[in-house]
């Protein structure tokens, strides 16, 4: 009977999942249950992206919480996994706090420690934990591994890990944690496998998706990240503001009387490309629009990303490669060109044709810095972590 690894990414009203087979991690199925508690919708596809299930609920039997949603996903899985068994489960967990620098096998004690971190990521962590509890209920005895978005950044030097607040705040956990770590780790490992010298080099990876950040990586390890205490900091995103003078937040609350909830909504949901353009958070919409606000929003985005590339190169003491990844980084050739425009002084220069067709290497021949486009795969990274973490556990127990 072959073994399956189930990877779960539980959000506020959705559970995304991927199923891999065997130690070669062959992707079998990927899907999501959206609209949990409201208008649930299950979509499942195979590795060739052919639809296998597309179901909506309008009746009383609609899944109302994560456990019910997971039950439906499991029922679907059981119907197709004949001759196979789910032998391990990996969970994406947004926050590992100051202590979790690597994936961890989930026990009752670990779960209690993760619950204590809810205060650091109140918008995400409770849903991640609901996914873990639901999976423990449905798969008693199946080993489960938590993989953290923060873990890859835990080796940051103190200067990159701290805010310039009195030190007791650092001790209380008010730190620059950084996020998107599973994506950066995936990219760093793939590049090291492709080109070991580059893997030991100085990389700036720009994870530009609906959420966006940049990471400075040297010798395969994260040195700095544009994201800080929350996933709000750094470059502007689809609907998030990115770096902002904290005085603005004080002003909005003290002088304009906005409540913390209103400010949170503004900064998380109404800012970024959506707020700047007044049109859309989606780069495809902005590129297709001839409205000046759309072009301005894209220019702003490119400006801030370019600025952070310069900052990350300074932290690294030079640059060997710039890597674009995630939805925008992998697909938006026009934005990549805008971002790189003016970075010739760093040795960055694009080949327009290669950039337009999204080649794996888009830098002009004979430039000092390679500019690469790579697909990121956080779910596969989690599946790799599950295998390695459980193997290490078995080796330690032997
Ligand atoms: P992600 O969060 O990584 O899935 O990225 C989602 C974002 O990528 C979308 O909101 C778009 O802004 C952007 N995107 C996806 N496909 C394209 C494309 N073909 N051209 C430009 N932008 C794209």
């Amino acid at each position: 009977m072959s073994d399956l690894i189930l990877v779960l990414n539980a959000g506020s009203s959705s559970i995304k999942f991927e199923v891999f087979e065997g130690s070669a991690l062959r992707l079998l199925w990927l899907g999501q249950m959206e609209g949990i508690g409201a208008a649930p919708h299950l979509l499942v596809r195979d590795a060739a992206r052919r639809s296998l299930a597309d179901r909506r609920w309008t009746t009383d039997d609609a899944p109302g919480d994560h456990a019910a949603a997971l039950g439906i996903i499991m029922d679907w899985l059981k119907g197709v996994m004949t001759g196979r068994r789910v032998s391990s489960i990996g969970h994406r967990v947004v926050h590992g706090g100051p202590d979790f620098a690597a994936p961890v096998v989930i026990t009752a004690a670990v779960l209690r420690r993760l619950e204590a971190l809810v205060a650091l990521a109140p918008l995400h962590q409770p849903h991640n934990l609901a996914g873990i509890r639901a999976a423990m209920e449905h798969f008693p005895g199946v080993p489960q591994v938590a993989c953290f978005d923060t873990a890859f950044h835990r080796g940051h030097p103190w200067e990159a890990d701290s805010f310039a607040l009195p030190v007791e705040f650092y001790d209380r956990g008010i730190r620059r944690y950084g996020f998107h770590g599973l994506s950066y780790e995936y990219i760093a490992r793939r590049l090291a496998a492709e080109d070991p010298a580059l893997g030991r080099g100085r990389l700036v990876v720009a994870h530009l998706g609906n959420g966006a950040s940049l990471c400075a990586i040297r010798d395969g390890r994260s040195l700095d990240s544009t994201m800080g205490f929350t996933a709000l900091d750094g470059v502007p995103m689809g609907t998030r503001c990115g770096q902002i003078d904290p005085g603005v937040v004080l002003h909005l609350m003290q002088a304009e009387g906005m409540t913390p909830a209103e400010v949170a909504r503004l900064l998380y949901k109404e800012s970024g490309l959506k707020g700047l353009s007044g049109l859309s958070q989606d780069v495809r919409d902005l590129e297709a629009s001839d409205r000046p606000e759309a072009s301005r929003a894209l220019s702003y985005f490119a400006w801030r990303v370019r600025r952070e590339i310069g900052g990350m190169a300074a932290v690294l003491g030079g640059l060997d490669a710039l890597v674009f990844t995630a939805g925008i980084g992998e697909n938006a050739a026009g934005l990549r060109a805008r971002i790189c425009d003016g970075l010739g002084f760093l040795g960055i220069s694009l080949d327009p044709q290669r950039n337009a067709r999204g080649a794996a290497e888009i830098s002009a021949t004979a430039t000092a810095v390679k500019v690469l486009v790579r697909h990121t795969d956080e779910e596969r990274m989690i599946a790799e972590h599950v295998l390695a973490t459980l193997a290490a556990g078995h080796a330690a127990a032997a």
Side-chain angles (χ1 to χ4, degrees), residues 54-230:
D54 186 348
R55 183 175 168 200
R56 292 174 194 275
W57 283 259
T58 48
T59 49
D60 287 349
D61 64 342
D65 58 19
H66 283 72
L70 200 58
I72 287 168
I73 293 170
M74 289 316 112
D75 285 345
W76 179 85
L77 246 184
K78 281 175 197 151
V80 294
M81 62 188 240
T82 41
R84 302 157 164 139
R85 63 177 186 133
V86 173
S87 62
S88 52
I89 302 176
H91 295 269
R92 182 173 185 178
V93 178
V94 71
H95 223 302
D99 299 330
F100 288 110
V104 61
V105 177
I106 302 170
T107 60
V110 166
L111 201 50
R112 278 196 297 279
R113 286 173 68 194
L114 296 181
E115 272 157 6
L117 298 173
V118 162
L120 293 179
L123 299 179
H124 296 101
Q125 195 89 342
H127 309 298
N128 301 157
L129 300 187
I132 292 177
R133 276 189 225 97
M136 289 174 112
E137 209 177 296
H138 280 280
F139 293 95
V142 172
Q144 316 218 6
V145 176
C147 301
F148 305 100
D149 273 317
T150 50
F152 187 58
H153 303 296
R154 288 289 44 77
H156 282 180
W158 177 81
E159 291 84 344
D161 201 33
S162 311
F163 295 105
L165 295 170
V167 286
E168 64 261 29
F169 287 85
Y170 183 86
D171 298 336
R172 276 159 45 187
I174 314 290
R175 303 183 186 187
R176 298 191 68 256
Y177 290 100
F179 298 89
H180 291 138
L182 292 160
S183 171
Y184 292 128
E185 192 174 6
Y186 179 84
I187 297 286
R189 286 190 184 194
R190 286 300 177 279
L191 285 185
E194 276 173 33
D195 180 345
L198 196 59
R200 288 189 296 275
R202 299 159 300 178
L203 313 174
V204 171
V205 182
H207 176 111
L208 307 178
N210 210 14
S213 70
L214 284 83
C215 182
I217 300 176
R218 190 168 60 203
D219 203 11
R221 296 161 64 102
S222 172
L223 196 65
D224 204 348
S225 153
T226 57
M227 277 185 170
F229 181 65
T230 65

Side-chain angles (χ1 to χ4, degrees), residues 209-210 281-284 287 326-328 331-332:
N210 210 14
Q281 67 189 68
D282 194 312
V283 166
R284 285 165 290 198
E287 285 180 333
I328 297 170
N331 297 296

Side-chain angles (χ1 to χ4, degrees), residues 308-331:
E308 295 296 345
I309 292 171
M312 291 295 169
V315 157
L316 289 165
L319 193 58
D320 298 307
L322 167 65
V323 188
F324 285 102
T325 191
I328 297 170
E330 292 170 33
N331 297 296

Side-chain angles (χ1 to χ4, degrees), residues 364-378:
T365 323
T367 47
V369 176
K370 286 186 182 199
V371 185
L372 309 172
V373 178
R374 290 291 183 279
H375 174 62
T376 193
D377 193 342
E378 289 148 307

